[in-house]
Amino acid sequence: MAPPPHGRLLLRPLLLLAAAAAASTARADDLVAELQSLRARSPSGVIHLTDTSVTRFLSGTAARRPYSVLVFFDAASLHSKPDLHLPQLRTEFALLSASFLAHNPGSGDLFFADIEFAESQHSFHQFGVNSLPHVRLVRPEHATLGGSEQMDQSHFSRLADSMAEFVESRTGLEVGPIVRPPLLSRNQIILLGILFLISIPFMIKRIIEGETLLHDRRVWMAGALFVYFFSVSGGMYGVIRHTPMFLTDRSDPNKLVFFYQGSGMQLGAEGFAVGFLYTLVGLMIAVVTHLLVRVESLQTQRFVMLAVMVIGWWAVRKVIYLDNWKTGYSIHTFWPSSWR
């Protein structure tokens, strides 16, 4: 039995909507499949985009683009500027992409891409990028490229690890641990092993004769100073967290920031500065307790002690000032009640 005429009129728009939805879904699946194919051709999984591919893959609504793309903006002409760290950040971005792909093989929810300024200036303009380094996350709900979310400069502090935290917090996807290449290749390890085996007889001979560096007191003293400086300067924190030595000033890209105000992050330069002050005071105390007591001249002893006291007071004052400036914590002086 055929439906009445008015039923056919109501059924036609529904069929058109269903057909349009199916076509949109098929087109979205085609885009995902094409991105996966481009990703498979890249060693790190980073897709290189141009103005044409940006329009194709990053424009449209969530129905047309049901995936997120993290975009790294690069400029080969600025790689020579050491303060921007573009080559290093690009390498860390590739590690982030490779790590995500290793822990999420075949994922169609997130892709990593880069855009080069010389060949895609129009895309830079569409995103509103006017300074580097710059990373943007384009999510499905972003209707325009300019409305995408920019990664804050603080997420560059620990390189790929802090970038991964940004991705996980914004997309809800798990990147997983960053997979870094080994420091030495297999052939290099084999070569070092062969050289070590060859040198064993020579090392045994020098150990028996007591002519190795381990028998030199100056080496042990230098090693102790290095361990002390490395400890008090936060060197291990910098190694674990991959903290940069300095940052670029946001207000003036030509200026460098060596001291970061705030307890959330520590730069390598400020750690080494404070570590130098600590080491300076420690060395002066060692000189007073081990060398100055052997000097016979009383006048020399008094002069050196006065210089040590002045320099020590200056160093401690600098450490307290930097701690107060960075964290807001201040040290208060308390006098004995009998002195009031």
Side-chain angles (χ1 to χ4, degrees):
M1 180 178 177
H6 65 275
R8 290 197 299 268
L9 292 176
L10 292 175
L11 186 60
R12 184 177 299 172
L14 295 177
L15 292 175
L16 291 175
L17 288 175
S24 177
T25 302
R27 180 172 176 79
D29 293 340
D30 290 341
L31 289 177
V32 171
E34 190 173 348
L35 284 171
Q36 289 175 333
S37 176
L38 292 173
R39 181 175 62 187
R41 301 175 192 172
S42 172
S44 62
V46 178
I47 303 169
H48 183 67
L49 298 179
T50 60
D51 288 338
T52 303
S53 52
V54 165
T55 304
R56 175 172 175 77
F57 295 115
L58 300 184
S59 62
T61 60
R64 181 185 179 276
R65 180 174 45 82
Y67 50 81
S68 299
V69 180
L70 190 69
V71 184
F72 182 90
F73 294 87
D74 197 6
S77 59
L78 298 179
H79 283 191
S80 59
K81 289 194 172 184
D83 54 314
L84 296 180
H85 303 285
L86 285 179
Q88 181 188 17
L89 292 175
R90 178 60 179 80
T91 302
E92 292 292 317
F93 186 81
L95 285 177
L96 175 66
S97 173
S99 301
F100 177 81
L101 191 58
H103 299 298
N104 303 273
S107 173
D109 299 321
L110 176 65
F111 296 92
F112 296 81
D114 65 351
I115 301 176
E116 218 289 323
F117 176 74
E119 60 187 25
S120 304
Q121 297 185 24
H122 179 65
S123 297
F124 272 66
H125 177 71
Q126 283 184 301
F127 278 98
V129 178
N130 51 28
S131 64
L132 295 178
H134 198 104
V135 176
R136 288 248 179 181
L137 178 63
V138 184
R139 296 201 298 266
E141 60 267 25
H142 292 146
T144 62
L145 299 180
S148 56
E149 185 173 2
Q150 178 183 352
M151 181 185 292
D152 191 76
Q153 292 288 330
S154 61
H155 289 100
F156 296 136
S157 60
R158 293 186 291 112
L159 305 177
D161 295 279
S162 52
M163 293 184 196
E165 294 176 358
F166 171 82
V167 172
E168 292 177 343
S169 63
R170 299 305 192 276
T171 64
L173 301 173
E174 184 177 355
V175 176
I178 301 299
V179 181
R180 297 185 178 276
L183 295 177
L184 298 175
S185 65
R186 180 175 176 272
N187 293 334
Q188 290 174 328
I189 294 175
I190 293 175
L191 178 61
L192 290 176
I194 294 174
L195 293 176
F196 176 74
L197 292 176
I198 294 174
S199 63
I200 286 178
F202 301 96
M203 290 191 296
I204 293 176
K205 179 178 180 295
R206 295 185 69 86
I207 290 174
I208 294 174
E209 295 175 353
E211 297 178 355
T212 66
L213 292 176
L214 298 178
H215 293 84
D216 192 340
R217 290 185 300 175
R218 293 170 295 183
V219 173
W220 287 99
M221 183 181 69
L225 287 175
F226 173 76
V227 171
Y228 179 80
F229 173 79
F230 193 75
S231 302
V232 298
S233 65
M236 184 57 65
Y237 172 86
V239 171
I240 295 174
R241 297 289 186 176
H242 304 287
T243 56
M245 289 296 295
F246 50 82
L247 295 175
T248 304
D249 195 342
R250 296 183 187 178
S251 57
D252 187 0
N254 295 321
K255 292 178 60 179
L256 300 178
V257 177
F258 293 95
F259 291 83
Y260 183 86
Q261 189 171 17
S263 57
M265 184 178 68
Q266 173 182 303
L267 298 177
E270 62 183 278
F272 287 148
V274 175
F276 167 76
L277 295 175
Y278 272 101
T279 306
L280 177 64
V281 173
L283 282 175
M284 290 192 303
I285 294 176
V287 169
V288 169
T289 56
H290 289 78
L291 298 179
L292 188 60
V293 293
R294 300 181 181 182
V295 177
E296 297 180 358
S297 173
L298 185 61
Q299 193 173 19
T300 302
Q301 288 183 345
R302 289 174 178 174
F303 175 78
V304 173
M305 281 297 301
L306 181 62
V308 167
M309 291 172 61
V310 171
I311 297 174
W313 174 82
W314 170 82
V316 173
R317 185 171 178 270
K318 282 294 182 183
V319 172
I320 294 175
Y321 168 78
L322 290 173
D323 182 65
N324 174 258
W325 174 81
K326 185 173 181 63
T327 65
Y329 176 77
S330 58
I331 296 178
H332 303 279
T333 304
F334 296 92
W335 297 102
S337 57
S338 59
W339 291 11
R340 298 177 184 174

